[in-house]
Amino acid sequence: MLVKKETANKVINGLIIDPLIFTQKFVKGCDVCICSGECCYYGVYTDKSEYELIMSKKDRIIKSMDDSQTKNFEDWFEDEQEDSDFPSGIAVGTEVYNGKCVFLDKQGFCTLQKIAIEDGENKWKYKPLYCILFPLVIFEGKLTVDDEHLDRMHYCNKPINQVSTVFEACKNELKHVLGEEGFKELEEYRKEFFEQDEEDNEAA
């Protein structure tokens, strides 16, 4: 598929938009009852500010953890590392415990999201951005598909289950990272992208 240079370099809210998000096949939506939160098995990188927010809620988090999780908060995170894709410039990875992210319970639910819902907060209040976004990812300033991580999935990566696209399945996530106005701009860009693609195919 030919993508013109000016189309490929579309920027919204400071992020380069990879048109792959419009065409990459994906499942209809997240359903941990089917996959048990498999995408969370490997842990995630958080921004330092997200790490600090999570640690400020450690007592509340511990109360909602089950016996498959470690309640020793000193074992929750890896050492800090520099990463320009994070607002603070510092990334802090979550540890893996019992073969899954320390914050994933045995039913496949994220404890960070669970406590937010239980306390009447926005469900993503404590959840790291990269957890929210999957299968989307921000890499070197580009909003794209995390195909490397997606390739490890046993449910989301099966063609028989991919009845939608990343764009269609992740509209709320895209609104979260781009904002409402940014999402409207993305919808317009998507329309232009497919119109251009159709013109290119007719000219071929």
Side-chain angles (χ1 to χ4, degrees), residues 59-126:
D59 292 338
R60 177 67 183 87
I61 292 168
I62 289 170
K63 288 181 181 178
S64 284
M65 284 180 154
D66 62 31
D67 58 9
S68 74
Q69 299 170 278
T70 176
K71 297 182 179 181
N72 182 358
F73 62 83
E74 293 182 351
D75 293 333
W76 289 356
F77 288 95
E78 301 172 349
D79 293 335
E80 298 178 0
Q81 58 182 283
E82 294 184 0
D83 193 318
S84 61
D85 279 325
F86 291 81
S88 69
I90 300 294
V92 190
T94 66
E95 291 282 6
V96 172
Y97 184 82
N98 276 340
K100 55 188 176 61
C101 174
V102 291
F103 299 113
L104 193 70
D105 69 19
K106 59 187 175 185
Q107 293 181 304
F109 293 106
C110 174
T111 302
L112 303 178
Q113 183 166 326
K114 188 167 63 176
I115 66 166
I117 294 171
E118 289 172 351
D119 294 347
E121 304 282 1
N122 181 288
K123 65 180 180 179
W124 290 337
K125 181 173 182 178
Y126 308 117

Side-chain angles (χ1 to χ4, degrees), residues 26-77:
F26 194 57
V27 295
K28 187 176 181 180
C30 179
D31 189 344
V32 298
C33 294
I34 296 175
C35 69
S36 299
E38 183 185 23
C39 60
C40 305
Y41 288 179
Y42 304 89
V44 71
Y45 283 106
T46 72
D47 184 74
K48 187 173 182 179
S49 64
E50 295 173 325
Y51 156 77
E52 291 172 345
L53 176 62
I54 291 168
M55 291 303 289
S56 74
K57 302 295 292 185
K58 61 181 181 294
D59 292 338
R60 177 67 183 87
I61 292 168
I62 289 170
K63 288 181 181 178
S64 284
M65 284 180 154
D66 62 31
D67 58 9
S68 74
Q69 299 170 278
T70 176
K71 297 182 179 181
N72 182 358
F73 62 83
E74 293 182 351
D75 293 333
W76 289 356
F77 288 95

Side-chain angles (χ1 to χ4, degrees), residues 55 112 142 145 178:
M55 291 303 289
L112 303 178
K142 178 183 287 187
V145 176
L178 297 176

